[in-house]
């Protein structure tokens, strides 16, 4: 697929230790992702990563996203010290090979930080976990925003953001997505199989979508608290979220907003 590559490499790093390399392919928003777990660091300017999954998204006009379980690894150099090389190689159960080789132009990479922030300086981090849900205060958020999140499958994360302006927004992140900000995708949101009447989607990054709402009766909070499953369909992708324990976690989320930390 070398001739279809867009000439840009994207690395996604999760706080769980999972990480992946993605290369855009074609003109229809496709991408290939080598996903695995961060490994050993041979020296100060190199890093190893395992590869257990290769995700291929041919774009909006070429069928659904495919995911292959593989065995392999990546090695990459420090891109802040000139031209750097990334190499990934993996094999699936049918002995088919997957190879990624990328050399940067020597310019420092662009960085986007979506980490949930630490507590204010001088205070104790009081994040919480309720079942599969994690919460923490957002760093440098003027509206005292907090986020609760759930890892879905190692590559997809579901998030709920609330703040003291009564925002109650949903977020979805997948390292294989390649949405464009100028082409807002249509989406469906279902709670226990019932379609939510209004779904306004915003493309924050090619891999991250936000669905805006509110904490009042007409917003998402009630169905989140009283449903057992949420299904989000966008393009060819479908995300299923188990809402077990969500009601208790939402209560803690608002405690976080009011107190400016997760209690």
């Amino acid at each position: 697929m070398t001739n279809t590559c867009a000439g840009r490499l994207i690395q996604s790093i999760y706080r769980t230790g999972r990480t992946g390399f993605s290369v855009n392919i074609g003109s229809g928003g496709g991408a290939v992702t080598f996903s695995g777990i961060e490994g050993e660091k041979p020296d100060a300017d190199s890093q190893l990563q395992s590869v257990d999954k290769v995700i291929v998204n041919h774009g909006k006009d070429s069928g659904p996203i495919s995911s292959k379980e593989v065995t392999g690894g990546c090695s990459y150099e420090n891109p802040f010290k000139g031209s750097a090389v990334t190499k990934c190689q993996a094999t699936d159960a049918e002995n088919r090979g997957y190879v990624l080789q990328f050399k940067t132009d020597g310019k420092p990479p662009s960085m986007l930080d979506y980490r949930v922030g630490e507590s204010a300086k001088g205070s104790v981090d009081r994040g919480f976990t309720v079942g599969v849900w994690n919460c923490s205060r957002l760093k440098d958020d003027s509206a005292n925003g907090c986020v609760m999140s759930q890892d879905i499958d190692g590559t997809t994360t579901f998030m709920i953001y609330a703040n003291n302006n009564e925002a109650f927004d949903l977020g979805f992140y997948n390292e294989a997505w390649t949405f464009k900000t100028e082409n807002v995708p249509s989406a469906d949101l279902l709670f226990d199989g019932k379609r939510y009447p209004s779904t306004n989607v915003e493309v924050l990054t090619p891999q991250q979508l936000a669905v805006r709402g509110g904490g009042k009766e007409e917003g998402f909070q009630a169905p989140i608290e009283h449903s057992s499953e949420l299904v989000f369909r966008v393009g060819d992708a479908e995300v299923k979220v188990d809402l077990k324990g969500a009601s208790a976690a939402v209560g803690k989320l608002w405690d976080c907003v009011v107190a400016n930390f997760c209690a």
Side-chain angles (χ1 to χ4, degrees), residues 51-180:
V51 177
D52 56 23
K53 189 180 298 183
V54 172
I55 305 163
V56 181
N57 176 3
H58 290 285
K60 60 182 180 180
D61 300 322
S62 302
I65 297 172
S66 66
S67 178
K68 279 283 186 179
E69 293 186 0
V70 299
T71 301
C74 295
S75 64
Y76 57 99
E77 300 173 329
N78 187 349
F80 290 95
K81 291 190 175 182
S83 182
V85 175
T86 296
K87 296 180 180 180
C88 298
Q89 187 168 351
T91 306
D92 64 20
E94 289 77 36
N95 205 35
R96 287 178 292 198
Y98 302 83
V99 177
L100 166 66
Q101 297 185 46
F102 190 94
K103 185 176 182 179
T104 71
D105 58 8
K107 297 178 181 177
S110 300
M111 304 287 288
L112 293 172
D113 190 348
Y114 295 106
R115 288 177 296 179
V116 175
E118 298 176 354
S119 298
K121 185 176 181 180
S123 64
V124 178
D125 186 357
R126 300 182 66 181
F128 72 81
T129 299
V130 177
V132 297
W133 301 95
N134 297 298
C135 169
S136 186
R137 186 179 67 85
L138 271 182
K139 180 172 142 183
D140 299 327
D141 189 84
S142 60
N144 291 345
C146 295
V147 170
M148 56 183 272
S149 64
Q150 179 187 150
D151 177 67
I152 304 300
D153 56 11
T155 59
T156 308
T157 302
F158 171 63
M159 298 160 281
I160 299 176
Y161 167 81
N163 66 24
N164 59 11
N165 295 322
E166 295 191 351
F168 196 86
D169 301 334
L170 311 183
F172 299 86
Y173 181 93
N174 185 294
E175 62 186 44
W177 288 348
T178 55
F179 293 107
K180 297 182 179 180

Side-chain angles (χ1 to χ4, degrees), residues 138-257:
L138 271 182
K139 180 172 142 183
D140 299 327
D141 189 84
S142 60
N144 291 345
C146 295
V147 170
M148 56 183 272
S149 64
Q150 179 187 150
D151 177 67
I152 304 300
D153 56 11
T155 59
T156 308
T157 302
F158 171 63
M159 298 160 281
I160 299 176
Y161 167 81
N163 66 24
N164 59 11
N165 295 322
E166 295 191 351
F168 196 86
D169 301 334
L170 311 183
F172 299 86
Y173 181 93
N174 185 294
E175 62 186 44
W177 288 348
T178 55
F179 293 107
K180 297 182 179 180
T181 55
E182 63 270 21
N183 296 322
V184 179
S186 59
D188 286 319
L189 196 64
L190 297 91
F191 292 94
D192 289 342
K194 296 181 181 179
R195 187 175 182 273
Y196 193 80
S198 179
T199 304
N200 298 314
V201 178
E202 180 180 346
V203 180
L204 301 181
T205 74
Q207 291 78 36
Q208 186 173 4
L209 304 177
V211 185
R212 305 298 184 187
K216 297 180 180 179
E217 291 184 3
E218 67 273 14
F220 296 127
Q221 182 171 345
I224 287 287
E225 291 182 319
H226 298 101
S227 302
S228 60
E229 183 183 63
L230 178 157
V231 176
F232 179 63
R233 295 173 181 153
V234 56
D236 294 322
E238 180 178 271
V239 179
K240 293 184 178 181
V241 182
D242 185 350
L243 295 177
K244 183 179 180 180
S247 181
V250 167
K252 293 286 189 178
L253 181 68
W254 285 117
D255 288 344
C256 167
V257 172

